[in-house]
Amino acid sequence: MALVDTKKMFKAAYKEGFAVGAFNVNNMEITQGIIAAIAEEKAPLILQISRGAREYASMSYLRAIIDVAVAENPDIPIVMHLDHGDTFETCKQCVDDGFTSVMVDASHSSFEENIATTKKVVDYAHARGVVVEAELGQLGGIEEDVVGVHSDDVMKHLTDPDQVVEFVGKTGCDSLAIAIGTSHGAYKFKSEPKLAFDVIEEVGRKLPGYPLVMHGSSSVLKEFKDLINKYGGKMPDAMGVPEEAIGRAVKMAICKVNIDTDLRMALTAKIRQVFCETPGEFDPRKYLGPGREAIKKMVKHKLHVLGCAGKAAACL
Ligand code: G3H
Ligand code: 13P
Ligand code: ZN
């Protein structure tokens, strides 16, 4: 099967109360770890590529890796998605490069400018059969070179449910990332994590059947945080979104859940462990291999949290 878009996935996800995992890929080992997990769990998959990933690995390498993944897993629907496209030009380039889904993130502009930029991307993408995710409201943390709102202030920048009908109506975007109190990165909360479930509920009521997206959804798993801190790393205050909260959100209108930090931490934890336990080791396969295996195990677990394990066939 060739790459697919998100339409059927989101329809099934909304109807059946699960979400599709959207995992960021930057190199071969990360991609292989994710693919091994979805192949075993028979889950639909969104592989997402940021501008930073395009710069780091180059699109031709990433595309070749993803083409192999698609060819080797003909029963699994796989989407190639641009994460946080900041301008029309970036989104256009990705549509031209064969992405089946792009995100335009003009959430830092005014409401009117966000509508105008998003609409321009939607017109270009839809004419070429590509779906578009947009964003309304602002997340915390750092994404690419844009610093989001401070994690103390995320609750002041939540999506305004009164704006969503006009935004989706005027832009024609296919899904919407909403701000519900999460941040990108490993430092999402200072004390007890809180998510604005009332915003999901309210937006869901105003746009029945419409797929919503949750960014900043890593949980900062204790297992990897502890390994990183034990083996010379320094992430004592890292805190993520509890998995129970994610399990609750996916039963509502959240159909796509973005995860990057948990992948980074799994890989980093295992590499640190190998370096510390066997300081004489210098064969990259001996530390990237365990990192890839940790990613596979972690993603398998996440697919159950999201409820999308076993749902590949329902998305075809
Ligand atoms: O939204 C942020 C994602 O974690 C991507 O991160 O832009 O550093 O590749 P990146
Ligand atoms: P995390 O930093 O929580 O993994 O979020 C990733 C993300 O939202 C990518 O768009
Ligand atoms: Zn994001």
Side-chain angles (χ1 to χ4, degrees), residues 219 221 243 259 262 298-306:
S219 302
L221 296 155
E243 290 184 336
I259 295 174
D262 283 339
M298 187 276 288
V299 172
K300 275 173 70 94
H301 163 72
K302 289 286 173 189
L303 299 174
H304 289 274
V305 173
L306 302 180

Side-chain angles (χ1 to χ4, degrees), residues 24-293:
N24 286 74
V25 290
N26 286 280
N27 68 6
M28 182 185 78
E29 282 80 5
I30 294 171
T31 315
Q32 287 178 327
I34 297 165
I35 292 291
I38 60 112
E40 280 184 20
E41 297 294 340
K42 301 276 174 260
L45 175 66
I46 298 170
L47 287 174
Q48 52 187 14
I49 296 172
S50 67
R51 281 180 297 130
R54 284 170 65 95
E55 275 161 33
Y56 172 76
S58 95
M59 204 44 231
S60 42
Y61 273 88
L62 290 174
R63 179 64 204 246
I65 292 167
I66 291 173
D67 280 345
V68 174
V70 169
E72 288 186 348
N73 294 280
D75 302 334
I76 305 284
I78 300 176
V79 173
M80 184 166 78
H81 173 78
L82 167 67
D83 191 26
H84 294 284
D86 59 334
T87 60
F88 170 76
E89 287 69 31
T90 303
C91 296
K92 176 184 181 299
Q93 185 63 56
C94 288
V95 170
D96 296 346
D97 283 348
F99 280 61
T100 50
S101 172
V102 294
M103 175 190 190
V104 51
D105 179 0
S107 62
H108 301 278
S109 320
S110 68
F111 183 62
E112 290 72 26
E113 281 173 54
N114 191 353
I115 289 179
T117 308
T118 301
K119 168 96 172 75
K120 195 172 169 192
V121 171
V122 167
D123 288 346
Y124 189 82
H126 282 185
R128 288 151 187 86
V130 173
V131 293
V132 179
E133 172 187 330
E135 180 167 326
L136 193 57
Q138 284 178 41
L139 272 80
I142 296 175
E143 60 200 41
E144 301 281 357
D145 40 351
V146 178
V147 181
V149 291
H150 193 277
S151 61
D152 289 345
D153 293 331
V154 283
M155 285 303 190
K156 294 183 201 146
H157 297 266
L158 303 180
T159 302
D160 177 356
D162 287 335
Q163 293 185 324
V164 295
V165 173
E166 182 184 350
F167 186 86
V168 171
K170 285 189 172 164
T171 62
C173 60
D174 302 275
S175 61
L176 186 67
I178 56 168
I180 52 168
T182 64
S183 299
H184 289 103
Y187 303 90
K188 301 183 193 297
F189 306 98
K190 288 217 172 65
S191 53
E192 202 204 332
K194 278 204 184 80
L195 293 190
F197 286 102
D198 55 323
V199 172
I200 309 179
E201 213 165 62
E202 188 64 16
V203 174
R205 231 193 328 268
K206 287 181 187 279
L207 294 171
Y210 189 83
L212 302 179
V213 179
M214 184 169 163
H215 282 243
S217 313
S218 282
S219 302
V220 181
L221 296 155
K222 182 173 167 8
E223 173 192 356
F224 300 123
K225 179 176 149 175
D226 288 351
L227 280 178
I228 288 172
N229 288 326
K230 177 175 175 192
Y231 291 111
K234 211 172 168 187
M235 302 184 73
D237 302 324
M239 195 190 289
V241 181
E243 290 184 336
E244 310 78 67
I246 292 171
R248 186 175 160 197
V250 305
K251 293 202 172 54
M252 302 167 77
I254 298 292
C255 295
K256 172 174 180 270
V257 166
N258 283 17
I259 295 174
D260 187 7
T261 297
D262 283 339
L263 297 165
R264 295 177 181 199
M265 288 183 70
L267 187 59
T268 301
K270 285 296 164 181
I271 291 174
R272 280 196 175 279
Q273 184 174 14
V274 173
F275 282 174
C276 287
E277 287 179 350
T278 47
E281 187 55 71
F282 65 98
D283 178 345
R285 296 168 297 188
K286 296 289 180 357
Y287 50 87
L288 293 174
R292 179 174 61 185
E293 191 55 32

Side-chain angles (χ1 to χ4, degrees), residues 1-37:
M1 191 201 309
L3 285 166
V4 300
D5 66 32
T6 51
K7 281 185 194 152
K8 286 185 182 163
M9 287 183 183
F10 288 169
K11 210 167 174 192
Y14 199 98
K15 190 165 153 232
E16 298 188 28
F18 66 86
V20 182
F23 298 96
N24 286 74
V25 290
N26 286 280
N27 68 6
M28 182 185 78
E29 282 80 5
I30 294 171
T31 315
Q32 287 178 327
I34 297 165
I35 292 291

